[in-house]
Amino acid sequence: MAWVNPNPDAPIGKRGLIVTLDMVRLSWADAYCETGIGNDEDGHNNTQKLLDYGKAHGINFPAAEWCANYSKNGIKPGEGFLPSKTQLLLMASNRYVIIFALKKVCESVFYDWLWSSSEAYKGYAWIVYSSEAGVGRHNMTDKYYVRCVIAF
């Protein structure tokens, strides 16, 4: 579990987030671009828009593609997504629980810069420092860590 919505009436898909056990280091995009996909709230929608934009413009979005294709531990391709900036900040606010759980289950870590699915502006996307909830903009062709999430 990465985050639970405090609203008990939240619709399915907005009730919470689960972080996957795996983490990889990838670039956000393989070319400088300006997608206009800057939604800070909805990583699932952002991920799909990035994939669609990539197909239409011949650009790869490795972080979003990895999350969309994630298929381990009962998760089917298409269920996972690259979290938005706000979703990562919500997860970072719950980082101690996530770190404890990941260490118990797989000895994975939850601290470092993580890509969000939110574009900042041309050539840059938002990243969140998960262990301190810090936010930064980085060159989208640089490699940072990626954590896939599932919404429930």
Side-chain angles (χ1 to χ4, degrees):
M1 195 71 58
W3 173 77
V4 176
N5 191 333
N7 178 0
D9 299 322
I12 293 174
K14 304 275 186 199
R15 294 180 181 169
L17 298 169
I18 299 170
V19 66
T20 59
L21 301 178
D22 302 297
M23 182 170 75
V24 294
R25 201 169 157 91
L26 299 167
S27 62
W28 196 82
D30 67 358
Y32 293 103
C33 59
E34 186 169 20
T35 66
I37 302 167
N39 185 315
D40 290 338
E41 306 291 326
D42 188 352
H44 191 271
N45 192 35
N46 286 353
T47 300
Q48 188 56 55
K49 285 183 176 182
L50 287 170
L51 299 176
D52 293 343
Y53 185 94
K55 286 178 187 171
H57 296 89
I59 298 172
N60 294 312
F61 293 93
E65 291 165 9
W66 183 78
C67 290
N69 292 320
Y70 189 89
S71 62
K72 293 182 179 178
N73 302 313
I75 298 167
K76 297 178 181 99
E79 289 181 331
F81 59 91
L82 186 61
S84 69
K85 181 174 74 169
T86 299
Q87 288 169 324
L88 276 175
L89 286 169
L90 289 169
M91 291 165 49
S93 71
N94 199 29
R95 63 191 170 275
Y96 299 114
V97 173
I98 296 169
I99 291 167
F100 178 79
L102 287 172
K103 284 183 179 180
K104 288 287 186 186
V105 174
C106 65
E107 299 201 17
S108 182
V109 296
F110 188 76
Y111 53 88
D112 215 318
W113 289 103
L114 298 171
W115 279 122
S116 80
S117 60
S118 306
E119 182 179 60
Y121 50 84
K122 185 176 183 174
Y124 290 84
W126 292 108
I127 61 174
V128 172
Y129 194 64
S130 56
S131 67
E132 297 175 7
V135 178
R137 297 174 303 270
H138 282 267
N139 181 323
M140 59 181 56
T141 60
D142 290 344
K143 290 185 177 181
Y144 287 98
Y145 286 105
V146 178
R147 281 271 188 191
C148 180
V149 298
I150 310 300
F152 65 92

